[in-house]
Amino acid sequence: MEEKMGDKLIKVLLIEDNIGDAQLISETLVEVKDIPFEVVHADRLSTGLERLAETDFDVVLLDLTLPDAKGLEPFSRIHAQAPQVPIILLTGVVDDKTATQAVREGAQDYLVKWQVGGILLVRSIRYAIERQRAEEVLKKYAEQLEDANRLKDLFTDIMSHDLLNPAGTIANALELMEDWELDEEQEKLREILEESAKRIIEMIKNASTYEKLESAEKLEVERLDLNEVFGTVLESFMPRLEKKKMKLKYLPKGKSYVVVNPMIENVFSNLLSNAIKYSPEGKKIEVDIIDEDDHFKIYFKDWGSGISDEDKARLFTRFQRVDKKGVKGSGLGLAIVKRAVELHKGKVWIEDNSEGGSIFYIEIPKNLS
Ligand code: ADP
C-alpha cells in the first residue's frame, strides 16, 4: 500500500448485484494490509438503502445497474438518503454518461469494474472520503457565512433606517434647547448630549457609506463643481469650527468641474472632520483645490497633533485608530476616504506640516474613464 490512512476501520457499503464482482472487490479490500476495511454487501438498491439506514458507512461503492433500479436512480436515492456519505460508482464502461452525470451531481468518483485493482480502489476510496469531508467543511462554512451575511444585512438595515431617525430627532431636539433658558450646568449637559447624538449620527452614516462603498464596483457619475461640494460641507461644519475657535483658510477661487459620484462629499467631510477633531482649540485649517491638467489636487492642512510615519499608511485601513486622548471615532473615516478616492481612480496620501500637524492630499481625475 502506498498511502497511509491510519488504523481506523473503514466501513464500506458495496451495492452490487453481480456476485463475482462483489466477491472480487470485497476480497481486494480485505486483503489491504495497512487499512482495515469492513465490507457489507447488498445485491439490490432496496437492501442497500436498508443497510444504509442501519449503519454509518464511510463510503458507498455503487453499481449503477441493479435489478431494482437503473440509470441515475441508484445514485440519486442513496445520495438523498445519506448526503454526507461519499459515493463511488462502479460501471462496466469506460465512458459512462450516467456516471459522469452522477459525478456532476455529487458522486465522488467512478471506477470501471474490470480496471479496478487494489491500489486504484483504495486510493479512490481514500480520496473520496477526504474530498467529501472537505466539501462538508466548506458547506458548513458557506452556511455560516450566509447566516452571518443575513445578520449583517439586518444590522445594516436597522442601523441606517431604524437608528438614524430617532438619533436625528434627539439631536434636533437638543439643538432647539439651545434657546431655552438653562443654567450653566444644564447648558453644559445639553452640549454634551448634543455632541454625543451627532457623533452617533456620524458613525451610523459612516458605517452605511462604508458598506455601500465596499460593495460598489462601478460608479454612477455626474458633473460637479468641487468648490460647491466643499462649500456645502463647510457650511455644515461651521458650528464645530466656531466652537473650537478655529479658522478655515479656503484658497481656491474658480470653479473646479469634475465628473464624479456625489459621494465624493464624504471624502471632504471626513477630512475636514478629522482636521477639526485632531487639532487643539484656536488652530487654523487650510484647504486648497489645485488644477493640475487632468486632475485636481486637493489638500487639507492642519496644525494639529500630527501623524507619525509608521501610522501614515496604516490609518487608511478600516478600524485603525491611533490612541488620541478624549477623541472618539470609529476608525472608518479614512477607510471611506481611501475607498472613495480609489473608486474614482485617484490617490490619497499624508505628509507632515513643517509647522507641526498634517497635510492630507487627494488627487481626483477630472474625468473618470
Ligand atoms: P476616526 O477619526 O473615527 O478615529 P478615521 O479613519 O477618520 O477614524 O481616522 C483614523 C485615525 O487617524 C484617527 O483615530 C486619528 O488617530 C488619525 N487621524 C486622522 N486624521 C488626523 C489628523 N488630521 N491629524 C491627526 N491624526 C489624524
Side-chain angles (χ1 to χ4, degrees):
M1 242 303 295
E2 31 152 19
E3 291 130 334
K4 274 219 150 213
M5 208 177 174
D7 298 331
K8 195 183 158 286
L9 181 73
I10 296 182
K11 289 190 192 150
V12 181
L13 173 60
L14 171 62
I15 309 177
E16 166 66 80
D17 63 327
N18 183 313
I19 302 299
D21 286 348
Q23 245 165 15
L24 193 70
I25 290 171
S26 295
E27 275 163 23
T28 309
L29 287 177
V30 173
E31 275 166 19
V32 173
K33 280 195 208 79
D34 293 358
I35 307 173
F37 282 100
E38 179 188 295
V39 184
V40 172
H41 175 224
D43 63 355
R44 54 184 58 227
L45 180 64
S46 54
T47 336
L49 288 166
E50 278 168 25
R51 298 289 95 83
L52 193 62
E54 293 160 5
T55 310
D56 285 334
F57 286 99
D58 295 299
V59 64
V60 175
L61 298 181
L62 177 65
D63 183 13
L64 279 180
T65 322
L66 294 165
D68 54 346
K70 284 183 186 47
L72 266 185
E73 195 192 343
F75 162 72
S76 310
R77 305 255 320 257
I78 297 280
H79 191 47
Q81 185 171 316
Q84 76 289 356
V85 181
I87 301 171
I88 299 170
L89 308 164
L90 302 169
T91 165
V93 264
V94 176
D95 184 22
D96 189 326
K97 299 242 165 14
T98 315
T100 316
Q101 178 65 23
V103 167
R104 231 175 270 139
E105 292 183 18
Q108 284 296 349
D109 199 359
Y110 80 84
L111 299 172
V112 182
K113 278 190 233 176
W114 47 267
Q115 288 180 340
V116 172
I119 289 176
L120 184 64
L121 187 59
V122 171
R123 185 194 285 161
S124 174
I125 289 177
R126 188 193 127 109
Y127 285 171
I129 293 173
E130 275 174 11
R131 263 202 310 268
Q132 184 82 15
R133 263 186 217 146
E135 278 168 22
E136 293 291 318
V137 171
L138 278 181
K139 219 156 73 195
K140 221 161 90 198
Y141 279 145
E143 279 163 13
Q144 281 171 351
L145 269 181
E146 259 171 42
D147 280 351
N149 222 19
R150 265 194 293 274
L151 210 61
K152 187 213 75 176
D153 286 346
L154 176 73
F155 276 109
T156 314
D157 257 20
I158 292 178
M159 216 172 53
S160 46
H161 302 122
D162 307 335
L163 286 185
L164 200 54
N165 290 340
T169 312
I170 296 169
N172 287 341
L174 287 161
E175 209 173 315
L176 285 176
M177 281 166 71
E178 209 178 340
D179 298 336
W180 290 14
E181 280 182 19
L182 301 174
D183 63 32
E184 204 177 313
E185 207 174 319
Q186 289 166 331
E187 174 55 21
K188 220 163 151 185
L189 187 60
R190 189 204 63 80
E191 275 178 25
I192 294 172
L193 291 176
E194 188 188 341
E195 195 50 42
S196 302
K198 286 189 170 157
R199 220 161 56 212
I200 293 174
I201 295 170
E202 193 183 299
M203 281 185 197
I204 295 173
K205 282 189 175 162
N206 264 351
S208 91
T209 306
Y210 186 76
E211 204 261 342
K212 274 193 212 111
L213 284 175
E214 275 296 277
S215 44
E217 272 162 25
K218 206 172 173 319
L219 285 182
E220 284 188 15
V221 289
E222 56 188 88
R223 191 163 177 263
L224 291 176
D225 174 14
L226 286 179
N227 272 290
E228 219 175 292
V229 177
F230 184 74
T232 317
V233 171
L234 182 57
E235 220 175 273
S236 68
F237 277 92
M238 281 318 280
R240 274 162 79 175
L241 281 163
E242 277 163 21
K243 202 178 221 160
K244 280 190 90 172
K245 300 179 183 67
M246 295 179 77
K247 286 249 162 351
L248 187 122
K249 199 166 161 196
Y250 186 57
L251 300 166
K253 296 196 177 62
K255 295 197 175 296
S256 342
Y257 282 108
V258 278
V259 178
V260 287
N261 184 283
M263 54 103 141
I264 206 76
E265 185 189 319
N266 284 300
V267 174
F268 288 174
S269 57
N270 273 302
L271 292 179
L272 184 56
S273 165
N274 281 348
I276 301 172
K277 260 199 292 192
Y278 300 109
S279 295
E281 258 192 36
K283 296 285 180 183
K284 64 177 172 181
I285 295 168
E286 192 179 291
V287 177
D288 200 357
I289 301 177
I290 306 157
D291 192 331
E292 291 190 336
D293 296 331
D294 60 346
H295 64 265
F296 285 104
K297 183 156 97 183
I298 303 134
Y299 71 77
F300 289 72
K301 184 172 184 177
D302 66 51
W303 278 259
S305 51
I307 298 168
S308 71
D309 284 346
E310 186 196 333
D311 289 333
K312 280 189 181 85
R314 73 179 181 99
L315 285 182
F316 289 103
T317 316
R318 183 165 59 144
F319 306 132
Q320 289 291 340
R321 306 197 69 233
V322 178
D323 187 30
K324 300 257 154 98
K325 265 198 213 114
V327 183
K328 301 275 188 329
S330 59
L332 271 181
L334 289 181
I336 289 176
V337 168
K338 183 166 189 265
R339 178 79 177 137
V341 168
E342 278 174 0
L343 280 172
H344 283 91
K345 303 205 168 99
K347 278 193 271 182
V348 53
W349 70 98
I350 312 171
E351 286 180 20
D352 293 327
N353 178 354
S354 57
E355 295 167 22
S358 332
I359 316 172
F360 280 77
Y361 285 96
I362 48 175
E363 268 179 20
I364 305 283
K366 290 183 182 169
N367 260 302
L368 190 66
S369 52

